[in-house]
Amino acid sequence: QVQLVESGGGLVQPGGSLRLSCEASKSIFERYTMAWYRQFPGKARGWVAKINPAESTDYTDSVKGRFTISRNDAEGTMYLQMNNLQPADTAVYYCNTVPSELNWGQGTQVTVSS
């Protein structure tokens, strides 16, 4: 099974930006809608951005206009550009299919704090 590897998280001040990466595979992108999910402490994971095989995208309301999902099929990598980050965005971020059918990766921690 494809192993998902997330990276790019870190500590950033409010208003800052981060770009997350998800290593997957081109074959997965061609067959599945992919999403970035995030998990707040003590809460279940929820999706924040989705991209389907035709590269149509969707976002949860709280990140619209700030986050951009994209992918590079040749590299088998999906990205999440996050701008104007706020403390409420602090979470562990994961990638997976929609619905989630692959084993979860380790995620990448995003912390927004001054």
Side-chain angles (χ1 to χ4, degrees):
Q1 192 180 55
V2 173
Q3 182 175 0
L4 300 170
V5 180
E6 302 93 349
S7 62
L11 173 63
V12 64
Q13 292 186 343
S17 298
L18 285 173
R19 188 193 196 202
L20 306 184
S21 298
C22 167
E23 296 177 24
S25 74
K26 178 182 178 181
S27 63
I28 293 294
F29 297 156
E30 290 175 340
R31 289 183 287 158
Y32 294 97
T33 293
M34 295 292 296
W36 282 98
Y37 297 78
R38 65 185 177 186
Q39 186 171 27
F40 302 112
K43 303 292 185 182
R45 291 185 187 97
W47 71 271
V48 293
K50 298 187 285 189
I51 184 167
N52 72 10
E55 298 194 70
S56 293
T57 59
D58 195 12
Y59 300 90
T60 193
D61 286 347
S62 62
V63 307
K64 282 181 180 176
R66 300 188 299 122
F67 290 11
T68 303
I69 189 172
S70 63
R71 67 176 201 244
N72 183 317
D73 289 356
E75 295 181 353
T77 305
M78 182 173 70
Y79 302 98
L80 186 67
Q81 178 66 43
M82 305 187 295
N83 298 328
N84 191 22
L85 283 160
Q86 300 301 315
D89 296 314
T90 295
V92 181
Y93 286 72
Y94 301 86
C95 59
N96 210 315
T97 56
V98 180
S100 56
E101 296 185 357
L102 303 177
N103 292 331
W104 293 96
Q106 82 287 352
T108 187
Q109 174 71 49
V110 171
T111 302
V112 186
S113 175
S114 55

